[in-house]
Amino acid sequence: MIPKDHPRYQSLLLREKIVIAHQNGILAESGMIAHGRGEAFDYLIGEKTSAPAKKAIKAAAAALLVAENPVLSVNGNTAALASRNMVNLAKTIPAKIEINLFYRTPERVEAVKNVLEKSGAEEILGTEDEDLKHVDNIKSPRSTASPEGIFTADVVLVPLEDGDRAEILVNSGKKIITIDLNPLSRTAQKSSITIVDNIVRAIPLIKKETKKLKNEDPRILKKIIKEFDNKKNLDESLTIITPK
Ligand code: ATP
C-alpha cells in the first residue's frame, strides 16, 4: 500500500499497475523497461501536461474527428494504464480499437482483449493472427494490421509505439498521432502529431477536446491540423526538459 502523502504517489501507483499487468500476462518484460524510460522523461517535464502537449492534443482531437476511418491502437502498456480511457475516447470520436503488440503471443492478445472488454469495448480488432495484413506489403512482423482497422485507417492513434512501426505507418500515408514522453524517440520524431505527455493524462484530455470540437465546422478542424507544426512542437517540449 503506497501512502497517499508520498511525494511520488502518482508515479508509484502507475508503477504498481505496470507490475500487476506484467504478472497478469498483459505486459512483456520489455514493457516494464519502456515504462521506466517514460517515467524518467515524465520526471523531467514535471509530471504535468505542458503547453506544447496541450497544442498537440487539440490537433490530435481535430485529426481524429475529421478522419474517415480513425483507429486507436492498444498495446500492453496502454491496456495496463489507460484501458478504460481509451475505450471512452473511442466511443466519443467514434473510432475503432485495435490490439497491436510488439511481442505478440496468443496469450497476450487474449489478456489485452479481456482488459478492453472489462473496460466496455464492444468491437476489438487485431485479435486474429491469420486475418492480419502487411501494410504496403512489407513482410515484417512490425507491419501487420487488421484489414478493417489500421490497414485501411487514414488516422491512427498509436501511443508508445516502436519507431520501426511508426515509420512504416507514416510512410504508408496515414496520419499518425502518438503519445510519447520522450520527444527524441524515433516514434516522436516520425509521427505526424506527437503528444509529449503521459498517456494517463493525455487520453482524458484528448477526449475532453474531442467533445469540445465535435460540432465544429470541418474547415476549422482542418485549419487546426494544418497550423500544427510537429517539429516546432517537439522543439518546445525539448526546451522544457533542457531549460537554458
Ligand atoms: P523508438 O523506437 O520510437 O525510438 P524507444 O525504443 O525509445 O522508441 P520503446 O521502448 O519502443 O521506446 O517505447 C517506449 C516509449 O514510450 C519511450 O519513448 C517512453 O518514453 C514512452 N513511454 C513509456 N511510458 C509512457 C507513458 N506512460 N506515457 C507516454 N509515453 C510513455
Side-chain angles (χ1 to χ4, degrees), residues 34 37-38 81 160-161 163 180-182 185-187 197-199:
R37 188 175 294 181
L81 298 178
L160 287 72
E161 185 53 278
D180 194 325
L181 279 159
N182 177 6
S185 81
R186 284 180 307 145
T187 304
D197 198 12
N198 197 313
I199 188 170

Side-chain angles (χ1 to χ4, degrees), residues 52-68:
K54 284 180 189 159
K55 258 191 263 171
I57 284 168
K58 188 171 180 182
L64 287 164
L65 286 170
V66 298
E68 275 171 27

Side-chain angles (χ1 to χ4, degrees), residues 14 18 30-42 75 77-78 81 102 159-166 178-190 195-202:
L14 296 188
I18 288 288
S30 61
M32 294 200 283
I33 298 168
H35 180 80
R37 188 175 294 181
E39 223 181 45
F41 279 98
D42 208 9
N75 65 7
N77 292 63
T78 303
L81 298 178
F102 194 93
L160 287 72
E161 185 53 278
D162 147 73
D164 292 341
R165 185 163 166 87
T178 197
I179 302 169
D180 194 325
L181 279 159
N182 177 6
L184 294 168
S185 81
R186 284 180 307 145
T187 304
Q189 298 281 331
K190 299 272 179 210
I195 301 165
V196 180
D197 198 12
N198 197 313
I199 188 170
V200 299
R201 295 189 297 268

